[in-house]
Amino acid sequence: MIFQMPIKKIDNLNEFFLSGLAEETRFLLYIFLYCEGEMRRGTIKHDVYTYFFYSLEVLSNYFTSDEVTTLFFYIIFYIYCLTGKFERAIISVQINVKRHTILFVAQEKGRFLMKKFIGLVGTNSDESTNRKLLQYIKKHFADKAEIELVEIKDIPLFNKPADRKVPEIVKEIADKIEKSDGVIISTPEYDHSAPAALINALNWLSYGIYPFVDKPVMITGASFGTLGSSRAQAQLRQVLDAPELKARIMPSSEYLLGHSLQAFDPEGNLMNAEQVEKLNGLFEDFLNFVEITSHLNHNHAANKKAAENFDWATL
């Protein structure tokens, strides 16, 4: 049992994790942090989470449900913030500590694991219905993901500078994409193709910087006509598969919003129930797609290096 081990004070622990905790709860948290450190050093060979939660099951007989719940909250929060192993911690809770506690952790799990997406407005038009579509997606799925809309209209024309210096605005967008869990691009259609402004942005975002490599991408589109930017979306899939971009585009999915000028009410909500239902389904698919692709990262470093080293002139 881990409670037989000596307790060491952890000097660098943020006071936030200890403030307001009962003495017994603080004691348990110290034990957990001590054991985690021992596991990192190899002293403890088994999964510290399994040991800890088993011990917590025993102690739950002596502490109130609220105390156990509070402890769980702080530990899960700490794991997520410090190690990114929140899923692993939840999976390790195979034991029945307290029904109240398990339900509490399950609720917090959804909040702490909320995905962060970038919604890339694929046009430089100030009145684009594709911006409206992304604004609706951000609002409609606010309980499922954090979505930040990113504009491309201020990106300068791509001119392949010899010094390979990338504009600051492009670096900022690349950094946001790099840190996100995925990207949703909404594109209009001009002359059977994606807008020049969007292609221009992708040219910059694959010139000395490679934020799209292995990044999950969902493509949507709105157009004034019937087809809903279908040909632009098909072209965009080809572009995003280029050696310098190599995004992971969600397959077999198209969201085509036709007659987009009439699609939204004054509050910016989609009025067609069938369109809303289809978007709901595709967004759930995208969440699953992002989760699946997050496990396909063993070759990410090599993929990124291949994009960096790719040169059409030397083929």
Side-chain angles (χ1 to χ4, degrees), residues 115 117-119 134 137-138 141 145-149 184 283:
K115 300 297 183 184
F117 298 145
I118 294 299
L134 285 175
I137 290 173
K138 176 180 179 177
F141 298 112
E146 296 178 25
I147 303 176
E148 178 184 356
L149 268 56
I184 304 171
F283 194 82

Side-chain angles (χ1 to χ4, degrees), residues 260-278:
S260 57
L261 283 175
Q262 296 82 37
F264 299 93
D265 66 19
E267 285 73 41
N269 299 310
L270 280 176
M271 295 188 293
N272 187 297
E274 291 184 4
Q275 285 284 6
V276 173
E277 183 178 359
K278 182 174 182 180

Side-chain angles (χ1 to χ4, degrees), residues 135-183:
Q135 289 170 342
Y136 172 76
I137 290 173
K138 176 180 179 177
K139 178 174 64 174
H140 187 63
F141 298 112
D143 62 333
K144 297 180 181 295
E146 296 178 25
I147 303 176
E148 178 184 356
L149 268 56
V150 171
E151 299 282 353
I152 63 172
K153 57 185 178 180
D154 293 325
I155 296 178
L157 286 175
F158 180 71
N159 59 356
K160 198 175 182 180
D163 61 1
R164 300 185 72 84
K165 189 174 182 180
V166 178
E168 284 301 317
I169 185 174
V170 178
K171 290 180 182 179
E172 291 173 6
I173 294 174
D175 185 59
K176 290 180 179 181
I177 292 173
E178 192 80 55
K179 293 177 179 177
S180 73
D181 294 303
V183 180

Side-chain angles (χ1 to χ4, degrees), residues 173-239:
I173 294 174
D175 185 59
K176 290 180 179 181
I177 292 173
E178 192 80 55
K179 293 177 179 177
S180 73
D181 294 303
V183 180
I184 304 171
I185 303 177
S186 193
T187 177
E189 181 173 313
Y190 301 150
D191 298 327
H192 292 188
S193 62
L198 178 53
I199 301 302
N200 178 66
L202 294 176
N203 290 159
W204 276 119
L205 290 166
S206 56
Y207 188 69
I209 49 177
Y210 307 94
F212 273 102
V213 172
D214 296 332
K215 186 67 63 175
V217 174
M218 172 181 174
I219 300 176
T220 67
S223 70
F224 297 170
T226 303
L227 298 180
S229 78
S230 60
R231 287 164 291 202
Q233 291 190 38
Q235 182 200 37
L236 188 56
R237 287 176 178 274
Q238 290 181 315
V239 173

